[in-house]
Each structure stands twice: as structure tokens, then as C-alpha cells.
Amino acid sequence: DAGVIQSPRHEVTEMGQEVTLRCKPISGHDYLFWYRQTMMRGLELLIYFNNNVPIDDSGMPEDRFSAKMPNASFSTLKIQPSEPRDSAVYFCASSGDREVGYEQYFGPGTRLTVT
Amino acid sequence: KQEVTQIPAALSVPEGENLVLNCSFTDSAIYNLQWFRQDPGKGLTSLLLIQSSQREQTSGRLNASLDKSSGRSTLYIAASQPGDSATYLCAVNSYGQNFVFGPGTRLSVLP
């Protein structure tokens, strides 16, 4: 398997623009996670899905953030409108179920810069 | 609410030395604990996963232990090499799939 795939790898946008980050999980994994990493706050869980259904979105900062998983092989994280404080590295991760201990595998991340 | 800390924040050792990284968590009712490695500008690579029923896991020169009752896990790296230089993070899975990450330990192994 190619592992977790994220696109784009880098995104530079102006404040107020819409940003869409994309993720393809490992085939067969039931869980998908979106994280954000900053120097100040470390790695934070934003939202996770189980079988395409959002389970916990309590980490989503505010209504400007939304995430969808229309099928088992694709998820998006959207920020609208973007703000400079959204600048961070956004990671997508996926994991299997209880049988494999829910071990998480991370994608390479998307480095977002909002000017 | 689960809180995860890691000590030390940074560590610099000469090549060949054995070392221990520490991870502490406040809520002992965990499902599992996972150790990751992160190279600068890269994603996280899974190193070891320890289930709550296990005491330790080994992979090559790495050995991770878990003591749930005291809220601690250690990552032991034997015969360190410059290629081991990276940030090491532990993540605790407390409630189903809600992982909480520690801040990481930045390791430098000097040749």
C-alpha cells in the first residue's frame, strides 16, 4: 500500500480564501483522523471518522473548519474563510480496528501558510 | 481529561550510548499507547504500539514499556546512532479512538 496520501503538500493562500485539504487513507482502514501541528500547541486532534461517519469533532477550532468523508477512500478538511492563525501543518492519519490495535499511520502532512 | 507529558524535552548524546525517553499520562484507563518518530518537516512514523494488557514491546534496538498503574511509559533505545536523531512522541488512546499526544522529546545523537 502507498500509505496515507495527502494533497497538496504545501499551500500558501491569502487571508479570507477557502482552503481544501485532501486525504486518502490506507485501504481497509476503518478510522480516519485529522490533526493540526503547531510549535505552540503541538499535535492536536481535530476530528475523526469511523466508517465514514464523524465520531468526535470537539477539536475543530470553530465553524470555519469543516470535514467530510464521502467514501472510505477520501476525506477533505476545509477552512473557509482562512486566517493567518490557521497556519500550521495538517496531518491525516488512518488506522484499522480493534484486531490490529488501532495503530495509527500518518500521511506526510500539508503545510498551510495563510498570509 | 487526559494529559500527556514527556521528559526530557531535548536530549543530546554521543553515538553508541543507550538512552531512555519518558512519557507520563494522567488517566491510567487507557486502551493503548503508541510511540512515534518525527523527522524535521516530515510526518510521524509509528515505532511501537503497546496494548493496555501488555507490559512491553520490542522492535530491533527499541524497547517500549508500559506501567498503567503509575501512568508511565518508557522508550529505550540501545546503541544509539546519528540516524536516530529525531523528535519522539508518545500518544495515549484513552477513550476509544481519541489519541492525546505528548509534546515530544527532541533527540540528537552526535557522531
Side-chain angles (χ1 to χ4, degrees):
Chain A
D1 200 309
V4 177
I5 299 173
Q6 291 187 248
S7 65
R9 295 293 309 278
H10 302 273
E11 177 80 35
V12 180
T13 190
E14 293 184 349
M15 181 173 64
Q17 297 298 306
E18 176 179 298
V19 175
T20 299
L21 311 182
R22 297 173 176 79
C23 175
K24 176 179 167 53
I26 292 172
S27 177
H29 279 185
D30 299 323
Y31 291 85
L32 183 139
F33 309 81
W34 283 101
Y35 291 91
R36 177 172 68 176
Q37 187 176 40
T38 61
M39 289 292 292
M40 290 295 294
R41 300 174 68 90
L43 199 60
E44 303 173 283
L45 176 65
L46 300 177
I47 184 172
Y48 79 89
F49 296 82
N50 178 212
N51 292 324
N52 313 337
V53 176
I55 303 301
D56 184 353
D57 65 354
S58 60
M60 296 285 261
E62 48 199 272
D63 291 346
R64 297 184 298 105
F65 286 68
S66 62
K68 294 183 179 179
M69 191 165 187
N71 57 62
S73 59
F74 184 66
S75 176
T76 59
L77 178 67
K78 186 176 294 187
I79 308 173
Q80 166 65 14
S82 57
E83 296 183 3
R85 60 192 168 121
D86 301 330
S87 297
V89 180
Y90 291 81
F91 288 104
C92 176
S94 69
S95 78
D97 60 15
R98 187 186 191 95
E99 288 188 6
V100 294
Y102 302 114
E103 184 170 6
Q104 292 200 7
Y105 294 86
F106 278 68
T110 295
R111 183 173 296 276
L112 173 65
T113 303
V114 183
T115 61
Chain B
K1 179 185 173 186
Q2 181 73 272
E3 293 183 4
V4 181
T5 56
Q6 291 187 246
I7 295 174
L11 181 64
S12 185
V13 299
E15 181 177 4
E17 200 163 288
N18 302 326
L19 56 99
V20 174
L21 308 181
N22 297 289
C23 172
S24 298
F25 46 95
T26 55
D27 185 348
S28 61
I30 69 170
Y31 184 78
N32 61 32
L33 184 147
Q34 193 168 354
W35 281 94
F36 294 87
R37 166 189 174 134
Q38 185 174 26
D39 293 285
K42 305 287 187 183
L44 280 70
T45 301
S46 178
L47 297 174
L48 290 164
L49 174 73
I50 310 177
Q51 304 290 354
S52 62
S53 58
Q54 298 173 321
R55 297 286 294 189
E56 64 179 329
Q57 282 283 348
T58 298
S59 176
R61 294 181 295 108
L62 305 180
N63 176 276
S65 66
L66 175 64
D67 183 345
K68 275 199 319 177
S69 61
S70 66
R72 297 170 120 177
S73 176
T74 61
L75 180 66
Y76 175 84
I77 303 177
S80 59
Q81 304 170 357
D84 295 330
S85 298
T87 296
Y88 291 80
L89 299 101
C90 68
V92 177
N93 185 2
S94 302
Y95 306 105
Q97 280 294 292
N98 202 353
F99 276 89
V100 177
F101 279 78
T105 293
R106 189 180 320 116
L107 173 65
S108 295
V109 181
L110 307 174

